[in-house]
Amino acid sequence: MKKKGKDQKAFPGAASAAAASALLLTVMAVLVFCSIRNKEEGQVLRFGMCAESYWDVPVGNCYQIVDDAIARFEKEHPGVKVEYVSGIRRDAYPEWLAEQVLLGTEPDVFMIPKGEFDTLASLGVLQELDGMIRRDGGFSSQAYYSGAYEYGNISQKQYALPYESVPTLMFVNKTFLEREGIDMPKDDWTSEEFLDICRQVTKDTDGDGILDQFGCYDYSWQDAVYANGAALFDSDGKYAYFSDVRVEEALRFVQELNGLNHGFFVTSREFDLGKAAFMPLAYSEYRTYKPYPWRIKKYSDFEWDCVKMPSGQEGESRTELDTLLMGIGSRSSRKELAWEFLKELCYEGETQRQLLEDSQGVPVVKTALLTKGGREQGQMDFEILDQVMGEAVAAPHFGKYPEAMKRADSEVERILLGEASMDSGLLKLQREMMAFLKE
């Protein structure tokens, strides 16, 4: 009986050991399965974005395009989830992103704050994309407008993809021109035609000896330089081109344009009151304030429209392109998946086409405009937008660019005001810029 008792006591113990061993094997199998499943399906991508329009204009549902893109992406990648923090205001977003970088918790994919691209790339926060681009046979940089794509390039390396762009157009007060008996400019108009119209309409209308009607407000010397086919710096910030004859021609044009006002400084008030015919305008403002309901809040006292900027004597209707970039965090552990999501936002047709409906920017992928065609309420003819985007150029991104432009703007203003001669002033500025770039 004792033996049986001992056997009975030993049997349950053996059974427990066997059960424990089986349980351990089961747990290990489950863990391995979960690990594999996590690698394949259970991943979470973090996306960084601000809650307001990047272009500083009123916006309805700022999340609609992103939410729709996420839904498509998650459907194509079962088990993958894309998360983002909502409610981050545009002016608070750069600080939020900087804090995430310091904590080592930056998103896998994120919008790049304006003016921060060069800094983020130089600090190694952004993943260089060239390797991913080369390995992806379904991706082509030729699908983009060159000015938009080059916006994400630094020293011949691609660190970001463009999401949407905003070119500059010429706002035209149609009521003003009609009152003066002048036809609406064509989209192939020139700087000389622009100057001629401004010359005709700038006048004293009430006979008090003071000008009260003007040709243009806020046409800058940089606008004239781009229109004349010139560049101020190379993309890497090693050379300046202020001694280029095309730059001099552009400045002389602006000098003549400003001279029509006889020293009167035209402000936005004159334009808003309908006393000026032209004003350069970002497409985002055109897209926002042209249709109802926002049109009743601004520019509602006269009929208006936009055309391409006038082309200079030596150039085309070129403008500097402002572009919203998106990139991948260099510390992301899900880079390949992040690349696929980045493409969903910045490359795939559905997201890019939706920008035409729900955003204030212009798609950066050519087919998004070319396949749409026609003209819709509150939008320009898409063929014209295609031309504008095709001619637009990317601003340089080198680290010294903001300070270089600040210095250049100060000196050019002295030249335009006649405080320095055009020839010697530009030569002096060229020497100073080259010295500054080499510091």
Side-chain angles (χ1 to χ4, degrees):
M1 293 295 294
K2 279 187 176 180
K3 186 174 182 181
K4 185 176 180 181
K6 286 181 180 178
D7 288 345
Q8 285 177 330
K9 187 176 181 180
F11 181 77
S16 297
S21 178
L23 178 62
L24 180 60
L25 289 172
T26 300
V27 170
M28 290 177 65
V30 169
L31 289 174
V32 170
F33 174 77
C34 290
S35 176
I36 294 173
R37 183 177 178 84
N38 182 62
K39 286 182 179 180
E40 293 181 346
E41 297 184 342
Q43 300 192 65
V44 175
L45 277 178
R46 294 181 64 232
F47 176 56
M49 67 172 292
C50 57
E52 299 171 306
S53 170
Y54 185 81
W55 313 113
D56 197 24
V57 292
V59 64
N61 185 355
C62 61
Y63 300 111
Q64 187 65 56
I65 299 175
V66 169
D67 285 343
D68 289 350
I70 289 174
R72 287 190 297 271
F73 183 77
E74 291 179 344
K75 183 177 180 180
E76 294 170 1
H77 299 79
V80 176
K81 297 297 180 185
V82 180
E83 298 178 351
Y84 62 84
V85 177
S86 62
I88 305 173
R89 297 179 64 86
R90 185 177 60 87
D91 56 358
Y93 177 69
E95 184 178 349
W96 176 84
L97 183 61
E99 183 178 292
Q100 297 301 303
V101 170
L102 288 175
L103 294 173
T105 58
E106 65 269 20
D108 299 285
V109 179
F110 53 89
M111 292 180 175
I112 299 174
K114 196 167 188 175
E116 301 293 327
F117 178 46
D118 181 76
T119 300
L120 292 171
S122 62
L123 292 176
V125 175
L126 287 169
Q127 172 67 35
E128 185 184 328
L129 302 178
D130 294 293
M132 296 178 177
I133 291 171
R134 285 193 297 270
R135 291 192 297 272
D136 193 332
F139 179 88
S140 173
S141 62
Q142 299 303 309
Y144 290 99
Y145 291 103
S146 61
Y149 187 74
E150 290 166 8
Y151 210 83
N153 192 287
I154 297 177
S155 299
Q156 310 307 311
K157 295 180 179 179
Q158 200 72 24
Y159 287 96
L161 293 183
Y163 173 67
E164 64 177 341
S165 292
V166 165
T168 302
L169 306 168
M170 183 63 86
F171 186 120
V172 184
N173 184 328
K174 296 172 69 175
T175 301
F176 183 108
L177 292 188
E178 184 177 329
R179 185 175 65 240
E180 293 293 320
I182 299 172
D183 293 334
M184 185 78 173
K186 305 297 183 183
D187 282 306
D188 60 351
W189 67 321
T190 66
S191 294
E192 282 304 314
E193 291 175 289
F194 170 45
L195 180 63
D196 184 57
I197 294 175
C198 290
R199 189 180 291 117
Q200 292 180 59
V201 302
T202 302
K203 62 181 69 173
D204 167 21
T205 62
D206 58 12
D208 66 355
I210 301 174
L211 292 176
D212 49 38
Q213 184 171 286
F214 308 93
C216 187
Y217 160 68
D218 207 30
Y219 186 84
S220 72
W221 64 269
Q222 294 97 323
D223 290 328
V225 167
Y226 280 116
N228 212 36
L232 300 174
F233 302 95
D234 71 338
S235 59
D236 295 332
K238 294 181 179 179
Y239 297 97
Y241 305 113
F242 287 88
S243 58
D244 188 329
V245 65
R246 293 173 297 178
V247 173
E248 180 178 342
E249 289 173 351
L251 296 191
R252 291 192 183 280
F253 172 82
V254 173
Q255 209 169 40
E256 186 172 0
L257 182 67
N258 292 345
L260 299 176
N261 301 326
H262 297 168
F264 186 91
F265 184 70
V266 182
T267 68
S268 59
R269 183 175 185 275
E270 279 75 41
F271 187 85
D272 292 344
L273 291 174
K275 296 183 177 181
F278 302 112
M279 177 182 71
L281 185 80
Y283 175 79
S284 54
E285 293 231 355
Y286 176 88
R287 180 71 177 87
T288 301
Y289 295 112
K290 187 63 176 173
Y292 179 86
W294 290 108
R295 67 177 173 80
I296 66 174
K297 296 179 179 293
K298 198 171 187 181
Y299 312 132
S300 60
D301 293 334
F302 46 81
E303 187 179 356
W304 63 278
D305 209 337
C306 283
V307 296
K308 292 171 62 176
M309 294 285 278
S311 59
Q313 181 179 347
E314 302 294 334
E316 300 175 318
S317 179
R318 299 197 316 164
T319 65
E320 184 178 291
L321 200 60
D322 198 359
T323 299
L324 169 55
L325 296 172
M326 295 189 185
I328 296 174
S330 61
R331 291 183 286 196
S332 171
S333 60
R334 307 168 182 83
K335 289 189 176 68
E336 293 303 322
L337 197 58
W339 168 248
E340 293 300 318
F341 182 56
L342 182 64
K343 288 196 302 177
E344 179 66 46
L345 294 167
C346 301
Y347 187 72
E348 301 302 336
E350 188 60 36
T351 303
Q352 286 289 299
R353 283 189 290 272
Q354 194 173 350
L355 291 171
L356 288 171
E357 310 296 332
D358 299 322
S359 179
Q360 298 84 15
V362 181
V364 293
V365 174
K366 298 174 187 176
T367 54
L369 276 176
L370 296 177
T371 58
K372 191 73 177 178
R375 183 188 182 102
E376 295 185 1
Q377 183 182 15
Q379 295 180 330
M380 296 190 71
D381 187 303
F382 294 128
E383 291 185 3
I384 297 300
L385 270 183
D386 175 58
Q387 294 175 28
V388 172
M389 289 291 292
E391 295 169 354
V393 295
H397 282 303
F398 61 90
K400 290 185 175 181
Y401 180 70
E403 178 61 25
M405 283 303 299
K406 182 179 178 180
R407 295 187 183 195
D409 190 56
S410 177
E411 188 60 30
V412 168
E413 287 302 317
R414 290 185 64 246
I415 293 173
L416 293 177
L417 291 172
E419 297 174 5
S421 71
M422 185 72 70
D423 295 338
S424 61
L426 285 176
L427 288 174
K428 176 176 175 288
L429 180 57
Q430 173 69 14
R431 289 193 298 269
E432 290 177 350
M433 285 294 103
M434 288 300 296
F436 173 67
L437 295 178
K438 292 178 180 178
E439 288 179 359

